[in-house]
Amino acid sequence: RKEETSYQGIIEWDVSSHTDTLTRYKMNYPNHAEDFQTMFESMQVLRNTMYSSSPRSGRYSDQVPVVFRKIEAICYDIYTSTGTVASTKMRVIDFVVEIEAAELLQRFAQNNFKDFYKMGREQDNDDSSSEDESWENYSCLRRLLVTVQNFADLHDGFCSASAKAGVVPMCLENIVRLDRENDNWQSGDDESKPLQLIDTCLGILHNISRRLRDRELFVDSEKTLLHFAKVQETGVPALLCLAYLVNEDTNHLISADENLLCFI
């Protein structure tokens, strides 16, 4: 089965070019110099990890969880700020967009999805896949997707960059595959791996659809989203996403479904 898709291009993250961008942002917004540096170093770690000579072991190194914790702290700080302070802190995400973080995060996520499926097959075949390594892969993938979701929740420019990088088809293709390859995910507990990954991908899709309002990014996605809208565990984010995409041509998909109307 062919797993490569059109949005899986190699991202050569240009350190020298982005170093100049870092210097410029630090000069223009010195109050946020520490956050700029943290974001730059975080992307550098992800880039180096992804292109390491042994990516599978390196991808789950101790550095990667630390990177996501630092990014989550900065996002939370921006999210909880108000007024003028919040406005100036958004320059940090402007910087993230300019150093092509969306493209890097998309590629890193797609690589981790590949490992997630591969480890699942190995475990199904009683192969030697380590349970600890499998958990590290899932944990890394989940936190990576949450990072994309948080950035997309805060910033139009990051949503646009993510859309150009192929985040929308990546999320749609993977929620379909997770649904197809995990029969019991709908009836599992709230902490089940497929449910958590599907839910986070739907959150990303919702943020992009809400901020960009561009149906062209979601061509032929209505039936997929409608499927998840009928599932109690994923119904809310799928419905919220559909709310920005349904028009006169696709409205019948919702209005003709009595089960969905009861759920609403």
Side-chain angles (χ1 to χ4, degrees):
R1 193 175 68 82
K2 186 177 180 181
E3 295 185 357
E4 294 291 332
T5 54
S6 60
Y7 54 81
Q8 292 178 299
I10 294 295
I11 300 298
E12 291 294 346
W13 200 73
D14 188 346
V15 176
S16 60
S17 172
H18 297 323
T19 300
D20 292 340
T21 304
L22 174 64
T23 301
R24 172 164 50 85
Y25 267 84
K26 282 183 172 180
M27 290 178 60
N28 292 339
Y29 310 101
N31 290 342
H32 305 300
E34 185 176 347
D35 287 345
F36 295 140
Q37 186 68 38
T38 296
M39 287 297 191
F40 179 84
E41 291 175 355
S42 296
M43 295 305 124
Q44 201 167 19
V45 167
L46 295 182
R47 187 265 183 202
N48 292 342
T49 299
M50 187 162 55
Y51 294 116
S52 66
S53 57
S54 54
R56 186 162 185 177
S57 59
R59 201 170 295 152
Y60 318 118
S61 67
D62 292 340
Q63 285 184 299
V64 173
V66 173
V67 162
F68 291 132
R69 282 197 294 272
K70 289 180 178 179
I71 293 175
E72 287 164 7
I74 292 174
C75 284
Y76 182 77
D77 182 44
I78 296 171
Y79 187 77
T80 55
S81 299
T82 57
T84 305
V85 174
S87 178
T88 60
K89 287 183 177 179
M90 291 298 285
R91 303 291 77 75
V92 177
I93 307 187
D94 290 344
F95 171 70
V96 165
V97 172
E98 196 162 338
I99 64 171
E100 301 178 294
E103 292 86 343
L104 189 63
L105 291 168
Q106 187 277 338
R107 180 63 181 176
F108 201 78
Q110 192 57 31
N111 284 351
N112 275 267
F113 267 121
K114 284 184 180 180
D115 285 350
F116 180 81
Y117 299 127
K118 183 176 182 179
M119 290 180 185
R121 290 194 298 270
E122 289 173 351
Q123 290 181 332
D124 290 342
N125 297 328
D126 294 325
D127 210 327
S128 59
S129 178
S130 163
E131 189 171 324
D132 289 341
E133 187 179 15
S134 177
W135 174 258
E136 288 172 359
N137 160 252
Y138 160 72
S139 179
C140 177
L141 178 56
R142 174 82 198 291
R143 297 189 79 165
L144 172 55
L145 293 173
V146 167
T147 295
V148 175
Q149 183 179 6
N150 288 341
F151 281 145
D153 187 41
L154 291 166
H155 199 275
D156 289 0
F158 185 83
C159 288
S160 295
S162 295
K164 290 178 182 177
V167 168
V168 171
M170 180 188 76
C171 287
L172 288 168
E173 288 180 21
N174 281 291
I175 62 175
V176 169
R177 184 170 178 181
L178 287 163
D179 177 46
R180 183 179 66 240
E181 297 185 5
N182 297 275
D183 295 335
N184 299 319
W185 73 268
Q186 299 180 26
S187 57
D189 62 54
D190 291 341
E191 299 302 317
S192 73
K193 293 178 183 179
L195 172 57
Q196 292 295 317
L197 295 177
I198 290 171
D199 186 63
T200 310
C201 283
L202 286 170
I204 293 170
L205 294 173
H206 167 242
N207 286 339
I208 293 176
S209 64
R210 173 175 61 89
R211 283 195 168 272
L212 301 186
R213 310 290 180 97
D214 187 351
R215 294 189 182 96
E216 293 301 315
L217 297 173
F218 293 82
V219 173
D220 298 327
S221 67
E222 289 89 354
K223 289 185 179 179
T224 296
L225 293 169
L226 188 61
H227 168 73
F228 290 99
K230 298 176 187 178
V231 179
Q232 183 174 352
E233 290 79 3
T234 58
V236 172
L239 276 172
L240 290 173
C241 190
L242 278 169
Y244 297 103
L245 302 176
V246 171
N247 57 19
E248 292 81 1
D249 295 329
T250 54
N251 183 58
H252 67 281
L253 294 173
I254 291 180
S255 60
D257 195 305
E258 294 182 3
N259 292 330
L260 182 58
L261 293 176
C262 289
F263 175 77
I264 294 172

